[in-house]
């Protein structure tokens, strides 16, 4: 097996290398030299062309000829190995690339500059496609980050993206760049719609089954008390805490067995109540002048009833009181699985932001938190007895041997205190479980394997090295996940060549069982039961295990495992059997449960009562958008997790300033999430990933699309946020919010306009009302909870010489200034074209959109 240290070994030469720089010189050079990236042309016939440059603004000279200095930088697109101008550019592992001088290098004098063009594997059209913290390393001296790249302001090291060949993904890209004018046209969806004050006051997000409004209002003050049944103690405490947060004083809590006079909120459970909707989690909410009554079919129903009450509260109290409409709500969820997936494996963001996510999920009645705890780039949960998983696997730095940390990735840079590092302690995780349970949210832990497992593999290799050195070879092999004699040659979508757990080693299954066991203990300590073990299973590198002697032995010894193609189902079957033995359902991403794009594994090979698949890869023109139906029809339970509508790591709009990947679709805004139709899967196929309209899906694919024969196997829907480009908690939240709210809307409520041919006019009015409530009530509440969220710039244009402005959410404040350094003002009246250019931005509270310039 090739070691990373061997891949990163310094270049050798018969000629003498230059004397190394001192540590002080290295630091001086990195602090003053300027490292930059620039997009040249994504539409070039030979492939996307990018460049890097280094301007030496320091007094330190890089010598001519071969030297031991190396520059490392991160690129999410694999770069073709390049030799040009005395510089050699090589891919190392994942997103890490290295630049070294050859004998033809002419040196870099003070004031000098070099530029190196290179080809990348796919288009790069956004500033956040480029990662921070490029660094120079001199063996034996140290590493230093180029100061201008040691920032989250990517504009500091990425050249301006303004030409069409820079922001288009290819010559076939039909998606226009977002401008003030295109935004104005998009926002005109609200033109002609008049939303009454009563409609907005009565709108609950997510929308209930029925709302029957009565004449008059109810005034909620701190004089009200909470009268609750003993089984609802947790819910009563939660309600009191939320009311205290917005009113400054907690209402009294009184058990229902004690008499109570005066205005009160009654919390009850009555599964036999005749007018309650059928099914779990249903409730009735009645708001009257002296009594607010919440009755749930179960505790969860009562909790969702109180969330509807809290949702009705205006964003701000008036002198410690709220005015509510009198009404009766009858409600039940559309789907039992209303989920949010959060990847902290790529970049870790801390416990606090996880708790804030759980709180907001509870507010909007989402009930499944899928935690992606492990990845190639990090292992994020302490496992007792396996300290290397977090001592090594939770950190990235520049350590070629990877005994102290994983090799740096995703803009972390060379030091262990770089971005994205960290993990949940066991105590942290137990606290997360309890916090989620109090909000009726089930946490689904994912340990991704056999692919996407580099952090675990390298951690267990570090453990193997430690115990071998300590003279304990048997213990060293106990949880080893890699075969040292494996010569398999593969590269994954994320450009790793060593991230597949060896499924032919018995030590692999000892490791899986150990992790399952420890997870169960954490849930038990939290007073809960682990129900589902998610084993990932996606994107295994083609060619994995083909050169493994252990697998060759397995082929001769085990019936039913005849070759490499049998290994993934063999692995999944064994993990599923281990999960069943522990009383667990097993879950995986769709491709982890399929032989190929159209053929699922045989459901009967799994003895588990439940096998759950996340259907995610639905690029329509690739012919894979029917996998959800194929899996459900084959007997798997399916969670709709589709990339075209439900991947919140994608940009909000097609603009270089927007963060995120765009492999599934060029952008996904709030309205697109709102318009997703879980019960009419193929009706969501409106455009290709290039932006071309889809008029006939079957004609596009060239075959019939299988109908859904077992709708009972569709559990619900789930939003996903992957974090390759998300390094901070604030970045994370702006990608999740406000898209989490329309996700909750579609998971909870089936709209009347949903069909194979949706009622566009009804959907337009529904979204207008939803968007207005977001701007006027829900986004201010997010801001008050210290939750960051995204706002797109307003639409703007000149009409008859006067400035016309609209926004993505009706009711947002719009501000304008008439000079680059001018003062922002909210009075837009009288601004004429003679005053152009002008700058326009949107604002909700203290949260502001980017400014857009209008000539």
């Amino acid at each position: 097996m090739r070691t990373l240290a061997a891949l990163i070994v310094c270049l050798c030469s018969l000629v003498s290398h230059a004397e190394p720089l001192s540590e002080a010189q290295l630091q001086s050079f990195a602090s003053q030299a300027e490292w930059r990236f620039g997009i040249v042309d994504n539409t070039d016939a030979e492939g996307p062309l990018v460049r890097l440059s280094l301007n030496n603004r320091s007094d330190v000279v890089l010598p001519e000829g071969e030297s031991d200095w190396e520059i490392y930088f991160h690129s999410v697109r694999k770069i073709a190995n390049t030799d040009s101008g005395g510089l050699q550019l090589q891919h190392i592992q994942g997103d890490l690339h290295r630049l070294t001088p050859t004998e033809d290098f002419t040196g870099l004098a003070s004031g000098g500059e070099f530029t190196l063009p290179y080809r990348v594997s796919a288009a790069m059209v956004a500033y956040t496609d480029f990662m921070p913290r490029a660094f120079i390393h001199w063996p034996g001296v140290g590493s230093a980050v180029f100061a201008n790249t040691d920032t989250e302001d990517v504009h500091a090291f990425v050249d301006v993206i303004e030409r069409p060949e820079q922001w288009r993904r290819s010559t076939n890209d039909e998606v226009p760049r977002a401008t003030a004018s295109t935004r104005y046209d998009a926002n005109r969806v609200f033109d002609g719609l008049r939303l009454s004050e009563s409609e907005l006051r009565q709108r609950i997000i997510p929308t209930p089954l029925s709302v029957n409004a009565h004449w008059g209002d109810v005034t909620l003050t701190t004089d009200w008390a909470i009268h609750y049944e003993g089984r609802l103690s947790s819910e009563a405490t939660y309600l009191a805490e939320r009311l205290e947060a917005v009113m400054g004083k907690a209402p009294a809590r009184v058990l229902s067995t004690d008499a109570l006079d005066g205005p009160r909120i009654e919390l009850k459970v009555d599964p036999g109540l005749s007018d309650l909707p059928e099914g779990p989690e249903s409730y009735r909410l009645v708001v009257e002048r002296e009594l607010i009554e919440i009755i749930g079919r179960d505790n969860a129903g009562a909790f969702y009833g109180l969330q509807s009450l809290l949702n009705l509260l205006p964003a701000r109290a008036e002198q410690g009181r709220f005015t509510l409409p009198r009404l009766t709500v009858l409600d039940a969820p559309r789907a039992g699985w209303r989920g949010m997936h959060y990847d902290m494996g790529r970049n870790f963001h801390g416990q606090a932001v996880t708790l804030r996510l759980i709180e907001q999920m509870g507010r909007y009645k989402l009930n499944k938190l899928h935690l992606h705890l492990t990845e190639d780039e990090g292992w994020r949960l302490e496992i007792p007895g396996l300290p290397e998983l977090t001592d090594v696997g939770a950190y990235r730095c520049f350590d070629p041997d990877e005994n102290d940390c994983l090799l740096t990735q995703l803009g972390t840079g060379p030091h262990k205190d770089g971005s994205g590092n960290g993990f949940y302690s066991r105590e942290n995780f137990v606290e997360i479980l309890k916090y989620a349970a109090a909000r009726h949210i089930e946490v689904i832990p994912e340990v991704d394997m056999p692919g996407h497992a580099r952090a675990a593999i390298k951690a267990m290799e570090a453990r193997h090295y430690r115990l071998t050195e300590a003279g304990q070879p048997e213990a060293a092999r106990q949880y080893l996940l890699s075969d040292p004699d494996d010569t398999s040659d593969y590269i994954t979508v994320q450009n790793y060549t060593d991230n597949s757990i060896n499924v032919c080693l018995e030590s692999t299954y000892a490791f899986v069982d150990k992790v399952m066991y420890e997870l169960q203990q954490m849930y038990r300590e939290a007073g809960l039961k682990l129900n589902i073990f998610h084993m990932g299973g996606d994107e295994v590198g083609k060619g994995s295990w083909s050169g493994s002697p252990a697998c060759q032995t397995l082929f001769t010894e085990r019936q039913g495992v005849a070759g490499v193609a049998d290994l993934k189902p063999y692995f999944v079957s064994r993990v599923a059997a281990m999960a069943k033995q522990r009383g667990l359902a097993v879950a995986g991403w769709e491709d982890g449960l399929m032989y190929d794009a159209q053929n699922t594994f045989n459901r009967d090979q799994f003895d588990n009562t439940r096998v759950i698949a996340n259907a995610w890869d639905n690029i329509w023109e690739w012919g894979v958008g029917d996998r959800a139906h194929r899996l459900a029809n084959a007997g798997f339970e399916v969670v709709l997790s589709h990339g075209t509508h439900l991947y919140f790591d994608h940009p909000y709009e097609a603009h270089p300033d927007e963060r995120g990947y765009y492999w599934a679709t060029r952008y996904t805004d709030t309205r697109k999430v709102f318009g997703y139709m879980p019960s009419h899967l193929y009706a969501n196929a409106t455009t290709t990933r290039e932006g071309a309209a889809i008029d006939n899906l079957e004609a596009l694919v060239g075959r019939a699309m299988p109908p859904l024969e077992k709708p009972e196997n569709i559990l619900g829907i789930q939003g996903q946020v992957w974090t390759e480009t998300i390094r901070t908690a604030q970045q994370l939240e702006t990608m999740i919010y406000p898209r989490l709210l329309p996700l909750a809307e579609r998971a909870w409520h089936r709209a009347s306009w949903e069909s194979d041919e949706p009622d566009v006019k009804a959907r337009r009015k529904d979204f207008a009302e939803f968007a207005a409530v977001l701007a006027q009530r829900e986004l201010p509440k997010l801001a008050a909870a210290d939750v960051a969220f995204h706002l797109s710039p307003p639409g703007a244009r000149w009409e008859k010489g006067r400035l016309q402005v609209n926004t993505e959410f009706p009711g947002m404040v719009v501000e304008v200034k008439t000079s680059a350094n001018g003062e922002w003002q909210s009075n837009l009246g009288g601004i004429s074209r003679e005053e152009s250019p002008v700058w326009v931005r949107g604002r909700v509270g203290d949260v502001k959109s980017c400014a857009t310039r209008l000539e």
Side-chain angles (χ1 to χ4, degrees):
M1 181 179 64
R2 295 173 297 171
T3 66
L4 197 59
L7 287 173
I8 305 181
V9 68
C10 295
L11 297 176
C12 298
S13 172
L14 295 176
V15 300
S16 298
H17 288 197
E19 288 296 316
L21 301 179
S22 68
E23 184 177 359
Q25 287 177 312
L26 198 69
Q27 295 294 335
S28 176
F29 177 78
S31 67
Q32 297 177 68
E34 184 180 34
W35 177 274
R36 298 196 67 83
F37 298 101
I39 299 170
V40 179
D41 189 351
N42 284 307
T43 64
D44 190 273
E46 295 183 26
L49 184 63
V50 181
R51 67 168 176 262
L52 58 83
S53 63
L54 182 62
N55 189 328
N56 186 5
R57 303 179 188 275
S58 76
D59 294 329
V60 179
V61 174
L62 291 184
E64 64 178 310
E66 287 188 278
S67 298
D68 287 341
W69 64 261
E70 307 162 326
I71 292 176
Y72 290 89
F73 65 95
H74 305 277
S75 173
V76 296
R77 304 286 188 265
K78 185 175 181 293
I79 299 171
N81 289 348
T82 303
D83 287 283
S84 178
L87 295 168
Q88 184 178 61
L89 180 55
Q90 296 171 293
H91 171 246
I92 299 301
Q93 196 65 255
D95 77 355
L96 191 65
H97 293 73
R98 180 181 65 183
L99 189 69
T100 53
T102 70
E103 60 183 11
D104 297 325
F105 183 59
T106 58
L108 186 63
S110 177
E113 181 177 15
F114 66 66
T115 299
L116 179 65
Y118 58 89
R119 302 282 177 184
V120 289
S121 58
M124 303 180 78
V125 303
Y127 291 101
T128 60
D129 284 343
F130 298 93
M131 296 286 173
R133 298 177 192 92
F135 61 95
I136 184 169
H137 175 77
W138 201 303
V141 179
S143 301
V145 177
F146 290 107
N148 75 301
T149 73
D150 194 11
T151 175
E152 288 303 321
D153 178 11
V154 290
H155 294 270
F157 54 88
V158 181
D159 294 340
V160 173
I161 303 171
E162 55 188 356
R163 293 178 284 108
E165 61 268 28
Q166 292 177 303
W167 53 258
R168 292 181 71 198
R169 293 166 291 168
S170 70
T171 55
N172 298 320
D173 193 345
E174 299 184 28
V175 181
R177 173 177 169 150
T179 64
S181 181
T182 64
R183 295 183 192 110
Y184 189 85
D185 288 338
N187 294 338
R188 297 193 69 173
V189 67
F190 305 122
D191 288 359
L193 294 174
R194 297 291 179 264
L195 305 176
S196 70
E197 181 66 23
S198 62
E199 283 180 304
L200 297 183
R201 289 182 65 217
Q202 296 165 15
R203 178 78 184 233
I204 295 171
I205 297 176
T207 302
L209 279 177
S210 70
V211 178
N212 184 16
H214 312 300
W215 183 86
D217 293 329
V218 175
T219 302
L220 180 64
T221 70
T222 56
D223 295 330
W224 285 60
I226 300 172
H227 205 206
Y228 67 97
E229 294 179 347
R231 65 180 287 175
L232 294 171
S233 295
S234 174
E235 289 74 17
T237 299
Y238 176 90
L239 177 59
E241 290 172 349
R242 296 288 76 73
L243 291 175
E244 181 181 21
V246 296
M247 301 177 75
K249 179 183 176 182
R253 283 172 286 159
V254 180
L255 281 166
S256 60
T257 52
D258 298 331
L260 178 66
D261 295 323
R264 62 194 181 276
I265 302 171
E266 295 274 6
L267 285 182
K268 302 176 181 177
V269 170
D270 185 354
L273 190 66
S274 59
D275 65 348
L276 274 181
E278 292 294 326
E281 304 179 303
S282 62
Y283 67 89
R284 184 182 74 186
L285 165 66
V286 179
V287 180
E288 289 293 348
R289 289 189 175 88
E290 297 291 318
L291 174 66
I292 296 174
E293 186 181 56
I294 300 169
I295 302 177
R297 187 175 291 279
D298 48 26
N299 280 40
F303 179 77
Y304 297 135
L306 70 85
Q307 289 293 3
S308 289
L309 171 64
L310 293 170
N311 194 257
L312 285 168
L313 301 183
R316 296 175 183 82
E318 297 180 8
Q319 298 179 339
R321 62 182 59 204
F322 288 101
T323 301
L324 303 174
R326 292 179 59 227
L327 45 73
T328 298
V329 175
L330 293 173
D331 202 7
R334 166 190 205 158
W337 190 294
R338 306 179 301 278
M340 185 65 206
H341 161 277
Y342 164 32
D343 161 30
M344 76 292 298
R346 264 53 179 264
N347 281 303
F348 188 73
H349 310 97
Q351 184 184 15
V353 72
T354 307
L355 296 179
R356 288 200 299 274
L357 172 60
I358 292 169
E359 176 62 31
Q360 299 310 315
M361 287 178 62
R363 280 187 58 196
Y364 298 107
K365 305 183 178 75
L366 296 173
N367 66 350
K368 307 290 183 185
L369 176 58
H370 177 169
L371 287 183
H372 191 81
L373 294 166
T374 72
E375 253 303 337
D376 295 317
E377 297 86 3
W379 181 284
R380 307 303 181 187
L381 178 62
E382 178 187 14
I383 299 296
L386 299 177
E388 284 84 1
L389 283 175
T390 46
D391 291 349
V392 176
Y395 294 93
R396 302 189 290 255
C397 65
F398 188 67
D399 173 20
D401 291 322
E402 299 190 282
N403 286 321
D404 187 46
C405 61
L406 301 177
L407 189 66
T408 182
Q409 297 286 317
L410 301 177
T412 296
H415 308 304
K416 263 187 129 173
D417 60 356
S419 65
N421 287 337
F423 64 95
Y424 301 126
S425 69
R426 190 179 188 280
E427 291 73 19
N428 291 154
F429 192 66
V430 170
E431 182 180 347
I432 287 168
L433 295 176
K434 291 179 178 179
Y435 194 82
R439 288 147 183 81
H440 294 274
I441 295 169
E442 179 182 7
V443 176
I444 314 296
E446 179 185 347
V447 178
D448 205 352
M449 52 190 175
H452 285 286
R454 191 172 190 277
I457 291 168
K458 294 302 172 183
M460 291 302 94
E461 286 178 357
R463 178 183 182 276
H464 180 269
Y465 176 80
R466 173 178 63 84
L467 292 176
T468 300
E469 290 293 297
Q472 302 176 51
E474 189 171 331
R477 291 190 296 270
Q478 184 178 5
Y479 299 117
L480 192 60
L481 301 175
S482 53
D483 178 356
D485 298 320
D486 190 350
T487 60
S488 300
D489 185 15
Y490 61 91
I491 189 164
T492 69
V493 174
Q494 287 79 20
N495 301 315
Y496 288 103
T497 62
D498 58 354
N499 75 339
S500 292
I501 285 175
N502 193 302
V503 301
C504 303
L505 300 175
E506 284 304 307
S507 52
T508 287
Y509 302 98
F511 174 85
V512 175
D513 196 46
K514 167 69 172 174
V515 172
M516 280 189 191
Y517 168 81
E518 295 296 346
L519 280 168
Q520 283 190 309
Q521 302 316 303
M522 294 180 213
Y523 278 73
R524 288 167 181 159
E525 184 172 323
L528 303 168
K529 180 180 181 295
L530 175 62
N531 296 310
I532 301 169
F533 178 77
H534 201 297
M535 42 71 57
D538 60 314
E539 295 182 327
V540 177
K542 186 177 181 179
S544 297
W545 316 305
S546 58
S548 168
C551 292
Q552 293 300 320
T553 300
L554 185 70
F555 299 153
T556 64
E557 294 180 349
R558 184 176 289 266
Q559 187 176 5
V561 185
V564 173
D566 286 333
L567 289 177
K568 192 168 74 168
Y570 164 73
F571 172 78
V572 175
S573 295
R574 287 201 60 176
V575 172
M578 294 162 66
K580 180 180 183 296
Q581 190 173 8
R582 293 189 174 277
L584 307 176
V586 70
W589 297 98
E590 61 178 33
D591 47 322
L593 297 169
M594 301 185 73
Y595 289 105
D596 53 45
Q598 297 186 33
N599 294 293
T600 71
F601 290 168
N602 180 3
R603 175 63 181 88
D604 293 339
Q605 71 180 297
F606 308 113
D607 292 334
N608 309 67
T609 304
R610 305 179 66 196
V611 181
I612 302 166
N614 290 91
W616 61 278
D617 188 358
N618 69 320
I619 306 300
W620 304 110
E621 61 268 36
W622 292 355
V624 293
D626 57 9
R627 285 178 174 178
H629 284 188
R630 291 182 182 277
L631 285 157
N633 293 344
F636 295 90
E637 297 182 14
V638 175
V639 178
L640 301 177
S641 310
H642 285 135
T644 57
H645 290 73
L646 303 175
Y647 266 44
F648 298 166
D649 53 299
H650 280 46
Y652 281 88
E653 62 178 11
H655 192 281
D657 276 325
E658 287 290 321
R659 182 177 304 279
Y661 280 2
Y662 36 82
W663 64 266
T665 182
R666 184 60 185 88
Y667 69 94
T668 299
D669 59 14
T670 303
R671 192 188 325 170
K672 187 174 182 181
V673 180
F674 184 87
Y676 180 71
M677 296 177 289
S679 301
H680 303 275
L681 187 61
Y682 303 138
N684 295 299
T686 56
T687 63
T688 68
R689 65 193 299 270
E690 299 291 351
I694 298 175
D695 299 318
N696 186 318
L697 181 58
E698 291 192 351
L700 178 69
V701 175
R703 58 174 169 77
M705 304 298 286
L708 180 62
E709 299 166 355
K710 298 181 179 179
E712 67 276 11
N713 283 337
I714 303 293
L715 300 181
I717 71 173
Q718 178 172 285
Q720 279 65 229
V721 62
W722 302 94
T723 61
E724 289 95 335
T725 68
I726 301 172
R727 290 174 292 275
T728 71
Q730 182 178 28
Q731 292 168 2
L732 175 72
E733 290 187 329
T734 57
M735 297 303 279
I736 294 174
Y737 307 102
R739 289 185 282 202
L740 180 136
L741 280 72
L743 166 72
E745 177 76 4
R746 289 284 70 78
W748 184 272
H749 174 69
R750 180 168 183 166
S752 60
W753 46 260
E754 294 183 54
S755 75
D756 288 337
E757 296 183 4
D759 184 333
V760 176
K761 184 177 180 180
R763 180 171 63 189
R764 178 169 162 258
K765 183 180 186 303
D766 193 16
F767 180 71
E769 185 177 315
F770 177 89
V773 173
L774 252 62
Q776 298 173 41
R777 198 174 72 206
E778 298 309 308
L779 296 183
K781 289 180 182 179
L782 288 175
D786 295 324
V787 175
F789 53 87
H790 179 277
L791 293 176
S792 293
R797 69 171 45 160
W798 300 107
E799 290 187 353
K800 297 181 179 179
R802 316 302 292 183
L803 178 64
Q804 301 296 320
V805 179
N806 58 18
T807 59
E808 62 174 334
F809 304 135
M812 278 175 56
V813 174
V814 176
E815 297 178 329
V816 64
K817 64 180 182 179
T818 54
S819 66
N821 298 317
E823 294 290 326
W824 290 101
Q825 59 178 348
S826 56
N827 182 7
L828 306 185
I831 294 179
S832 67
R833 187 154 196 168
E834 286 73 27
E835 298 175 83
S836 65
V838 298
W839 288 259
V840 182
R841 74 182 184 191
R843 178 170 62 81
V844 172
D846 293 331
V847 178
K848 307 172 185 69
S849 75
C850 292
T852 186
R853 173 174 165 150
L854 187 65
E855 298 289 347

